[in-house]
Amino acid sequence: MKQNNKTISNGVMLNAYPDSIGEKLKDTIRMLEKTEFKDVFSLFYVLPTFFNSDLDRGFSIIDYDINKELVDSEDLDALKKLNIKLKFDIVLNHLSVASPQFKDLLKLGNQSKYKDFFINWNEFWEGNGTLNEEGIMIPNEEFLNKLFMRKSGLPILKVRFPDGTEQPYWNTFYQQITYNEIVKSDLKFIKGLSELQCSFICEKVNKAIALDQGFENINFEDCMPFKAAVLEVVEQKRSYLGQMDVNGESPLVWEFYEETLKKLNGYGCNILRLDAFAYLHKEVGESNFFNVPGTWEYLERIKKIADNNSLMLLPEIHAEYGLHLHDEVANEGYTIYDFFLPGLTIHTIENKSSTALLQWAKEIVSKGYNTVNMLGCHDGIPVLDLKGKNVNGIYNKGLLEDDEIEVVMNTIMERGGRVKNLYDPSGKKISYYQVNATFFSALGEDEQKLLLARAIQMFMPGIPQVWYLDIFAGKNNYAAADNGGSAGHKEINRTTLTMQDIEDGLKTDVVKKQLEIIRLRNTSNAFSGKVAINDAVEDIIDIKWENNETVAHLIASLKTYAFTIDCKENGITKTMSF
């Protein structure tokens, strides 16, 4: 069934966290209210720290209530006055360990209402695997080899139930277990311990926690008879961070989705990005990524809920071009993410060849794709997406050859980028996934290249989504990446700009010229018309948009990176030279 909910065909979208600029969403609105930003953006993709969350910079949702530390209702009114439509995320595949649902499970164990809201790994694989010595079900090899891993090791987090049992729950993405210090009052239920012994035990245990050492080898000296009881207390006090996969077969999960979409509509949401939706459907004998037909069935159920709440859906999916999953999603009538554009743009500029880029642009037009594109974003620069793929013994070509993709990746890495990899079930790295860098740094911090990249994006078919930091020619933040822990590679491109940074940036040519190009894309009726893509000369980009008498025409030299934009509107012709 084709998607029949509303579409948005024109306008440019800002992409930022609520606190990417200044300290709160209110500061971003102050920026958008400035004269320099008049008519620059029609949409705003606010990342999910808009909601209450605790991990992965917002993508570990606690609940979909407004995060009052960063956002208030007045902000939504102000954005409405600016005529800026909103895009939000719903993270379909998982919720935080700190969500009310998972906290209830930790508190009540098997008696919890939400026992089946999440996926007990052992119960899921029962009858299709064997228990190892740690009590974890290892799926049969033919099933295990099909799993698509986003981290090394099995995708589980072991949590402790009130009865003292350890239960493994499906956890595709991030997790963290923290052992918390104990105090003397924690030991008061252990009969026979003196006050002095309690102090001694707390000192020993807390030192082991501070040094990240195991507990089994602690010598409790004359308190050894109490060791088992003490370690039971230590285990009971541990806490978790994690994104726990939800069970798409649970009616309570779908009730939760219905409540959430209604809530987001109430915030003024127009576009709903379905984060990690391809991981939601799980079935023994299938991959845990875009299972068919299960994923389509889930997507159709979500679409019906979205239709009832006047929401346009944007499924998020990263996969090799050669797999043609983007075709399948588009053929069902959904808008798709153009994750191919960032890598293609770097390849085009660095190799002075428009061939691959313009072939992709022509495919978008000929196949009638509705797309949202980007250069930089809150995540990395996709590279895996450009690859070809063997499907049923037939090799489907990618948008770039493997050696060309390696050059793109290596170029970004040589300029300071950080890499994210994929793993097989044994923990062995099987592929790179994306490279994290600011788009400006990926282009060698060359302002003319950045302006050309922005012009290319604005003239590509689709809704352009613009990362806030790229507007201000942000550079790689190595300190943030080094200090960011397991997901630190992402922090390289998430630097918070102060209001003074905004003021200073607005005085620079690279910012003013980008805003000029974006404003044209956001306001010209030409971009609601037809596009002509001329690929006759390899080192030239020639794209013309026409809507009756309104014209916007980009001609760029890949030899010099200089370009012009000819505009015609209301009988007046204007040339912008860069």
Side-chain angles (χ1 to χ4, degrees):
M1 182 179 291
K2 303 293 183 181
Q3 182 176 4
N4 59 11
N5 51 358
K6 64 184 177 182
T7 59
I8 297 173
S9 60
N10 202 4
V12 183
M13 183 187 307
L14 176 65
N15 181 202
Y17 290 98
D19 57 347
S20 288
I21 295 159
E23 297 178 353
K24 297 184 177 183
L25 184 58
K26 200 174 301 296
D27 293 318
T28 303
I29 294 169
R30 285 171 56 199
M31 181 191 78
L32 293 172
E33 290 171 340
K34 287 181 173 293
T35 303
E36 294 90 338
F37 278 87
K38 181 176 173 56
D39 297 327
V40 171
F41 294 108
S42 296
L43 305 115
F44 185 8
Y45 172 21
V46 191
L47 285 153
T49 47
F50 182 96
F51 312 114
N52 294 315
S53 60
D54 63 358
L55 186 67
D56 194 21
R57 196 67 189 273
F59 287 91
S60 182
I61 299 290
I62 295 173
D63 61 50
Y64 285 91
D65 293 338
I66 289 175
N67 176 1
K68 294 182 179 179
E69 292 184 3
L70 301 179
V71 184
D72 62 44
S73 58
E74 292 177 359
D75 298 333
L76 299 179
D77 293 336
L79 289 167
K80 190 173 182 179
K81 288 179 182 177
L82 288 169
N83 294 317
I84 290 179
K85 298 179 175 67
L86 292 173
K87 170 184 163 187
F88 290 127
D89 284 282
I90 180 173
V91 185
L92 288 183
N93 180 68
H94 49 264
L95 279 177
S96 167
V97 168
S99 65
Q101 295 88 343
F102 204 84
K103 286 174 70 175
D104 191 83
L105 179 64
L106 290 175
K107 180 180 179 181
L108 301 177
N110 289 324
Q111 304 306 311
S112 170
K113 171 184 177 181
Y114 298 102
K115 179 182 182 299
D116 296 324
F117 193 97
F118 302 93
I119 304 171
N120 185 304
W121 175 269
N122 283 359
E123 292 179 3
F124 181 91
W125 292 106
E126 187 175 358
N128 296 285
T130 56
L131 284 175
N132 68 8
E133 58 186 16
E134 296 178 356
I136 303 297
M137 186 73 74
I138 305 300
N140 296 338
E141 187 174 358
E142 67 269 26
F143 302 141
L144 185 62
N145 289 340
K146 285 188 175 183
L147 295 183
F148 185 78
M149 301 295 192
R150 290 296 302 266
K151 60 186 180 185
S152 60
L154 292 176
I156 59 174
L157 175 67
K158 290 177 71 175
V159 297
R160 194 173 184 85
F161 270 15
D163 60 6
T165 60
E166 299 277 341
Q167 300 291 336
Y169 273 82
W170 204 310
N171 168 253
T172 295
F173 294 91
Y174 297 106
Q175 62 168 260
Q176 178 180 314
I177 299 175
T178 300
Y179 282 93
N180 301 296
E181 289 190 353
I182 63 172
V183 295
K184 289 189 292 184
S185 59
D186 294 325
L187 306 177
K188 63 183 179 181
F189 299 106
I190 303 177
K191 294 182 179 180
L193 281 178
S194 68
E195 187 85 5
L196 187 61
Q197 286 174 319
C198 286
S199 297
F200 170 75
I201 288 171
C202 288
E203 182 181 349
K204 284 279 190 177
V205 168
N206 293 339
K207 181 178 180 181
I209 292 172
L211 297 175
D212 195 23
Q213 295 175 342
F215 305 117
E216 292 301 324
N217 295 325
I218 296 177
N219 183 0
F220 284 122
E221 299 180 9
D222 64 333
C223 300
M224 285 299 287
F226 304 102
K227 184 172 183 178
V230 169
L231 295 186
E232 179 70 17
V233 170
V234 172
E235 295 293 345
Q236 289 285 8
K237 283 200 69 174
R238 74 188 187 201
S239 57
Y240 312 95
L241 284 173
Q243 296 160 289
M244 309 311 297
D245 291 40
V246 301
N247 177 14
E249 296 298 308
S250 168
L252 287 178
V253 167
W254 291 93
E255 288 179 18
F256 173 74
Y257 291 157
E258 289 189 9
E259 294 167 1
T260 298
L261 267 61
K262 184 177 180 180
K263 185 178 292 187
L264 299 188
N265 183 24
Y267 298 151
C269 180
N270 291 86
I271 303 176
L272 185 61
R273 176 180 181 267
L274 306 182
D275 181 77
F277 86 94
Y279 294 91
L280 177 61
H281 185 270
K282 297 176 175 67
E283 185 175 342
V284 173
E286 299 291 338
S287 167
N288 56 312
F289 178 79
F290 213 103
N291 295 336
V292 175
T295 298
W296 291 122
E297 293 168 358
Y298 284 176
L299 195 54
E300 178 63 18
R301 290 180 69 177
I302 285 289
K303 186 187 78 66
K304 289 178 180 177
I305 303 171
D307 285 345
N308 291 336
N309 290 280
S310 301
L311 298 172
M312 183 185 111
L313 295 184
L314 179 58
E316 182 250 2
I317 181 170
H318 279 288
E320 298 95 327
Y321 172 88
L323 198 58
H324 288 292
L325 284 184
H326 63 284
D327 264 323
E328 295 183 36
V329 175
N331 288 340
E332 292 294 320
Y334 293 94
T335 298
I336 59 171
Y337 260 119
D338 183 357
F339 286 125
F340 310 114
L341 182 61
L344 284 174
T345 300
I346 294 170
H347 169 81
T348 297
I349 291 173
E350 298 300 330
N351 289 277
K352 303 182 187 300
S353 171
S354 64
T355 302
L357 175 77
L358 296 185
Q359 284 179 350
W360 169 235
K362 285 190 168 186
E363 183 178 343
I364 295 173
V365 175
S366 66
K367 293 187 175 180
Y369 295 151
N370 293 313
T371 65
V372 170
N373 65 47
M374 77 284 292
L375 298 179
C377 68
H378 71 281
D379 219 336
I381 298 171
V383 283
L384 175 66
D385 302 62
L386 297 167
K387 289 173 66 66
K389 186 75 172 179
N390 281 305
V391 180
N392 298 324
I394 299 173
Y395 181 73
N396 295 330
K397 289 189 64 176
L399 289 171
L400 294 178
E401 299 296 334
D402 284 359
D403 58 343
E404 294 175 314
I405 296 169
E406 289 288 342
V407 169
V408 172
M409 183 182 72
N410 290 335
T411 298
I412 302 171
M413 296 288 287
E414 288 165 4
R415 292 169 176 172
R418 304 289 173 92
V419 71
K420 169 70 175 178
N421 298 311
L422 295 174
Y423 300 86
D424 69 12
S426 70
K428 178 183 177 182
K429 185 181 83 172
I430 56 174
S431 179
Y432 51 83
Y433 174 51
Q434 57 192 15
V435 186
N436 291 88
T438 71
F439 213 78
F440 185 49
S441 291
L443 291 171
E445 298 178 3
D446 184 309
E447 292 186 358
Q448 187 61 31
K449 288 182 180 179
L450 180 60
L451 290 174
L452 175 55
R454 183 67 63 215
I456 290 170
Q457 182 195 14
M458 293 300 117
F459 274 77
M460 283 291 289
I463 300 171
Q465 178 179 293
V466 180
W467 185 234
Y468 76 100
L469 195 56
D470 290 344
I471 302 171
F472 293 91
K475 298 179 181 180
N476 286 343
N477 189 334
Y478 300 110
D482 290 339
N483 295 327
S486 61
H489 54 283
K490 295 183 179 183
E491 298 303 319
I492 201 169
N493 187 30
R494 296 176 175 178
T495 303
T496 298
L497 299 177
T498 65
M499 297 309 294
Q500 188 60 52
D501 291 332
I502 302 301
E503 294 293 341
D504 294 343
L506 288 172
K507 298 173 185 176
T508 65
D509 283 345
V510 70
V511 175
K512 289 188 285 188
K513 289 178 179 179
Q514 279 192 84
L515 293 179
E516 186 179 7
I517 298 167
I518 297 170
R519 183 180 292 107
L520 172 70
R521 174 63 178 81
N522 191 57
T523 57
S524 175
N525 288 327
F527 295 98
S528 295
K530 294 183 178 180
V531 61
I533 299 163
N534 182 357
D535 60 356
V537 183
E538 185 180 22
D539 60 9
I540 296 292
I541 292 176
D542 183 345
I543 304 176
K544 180 189 285 188
W545 286 85
E546 293 183 272
N547 187 3
N548 296 322
E549 298 300 314
T550 305
V551 178
H553 190 186
L554 169 68
I555 300 179
S557 167
L558 294 174
K559 288 183 178 179
T560 65
Y561 309 127
F563 60 96
T564 60
I565 299 174
D566 292 322
C567 313
K568 181 181 178 183
E569 191 158 4
N570 299 323
I572 299 173
T573 301
K574 173 185 175 183
T575 298
M576 303 159 63
S577 298
F578 299 89

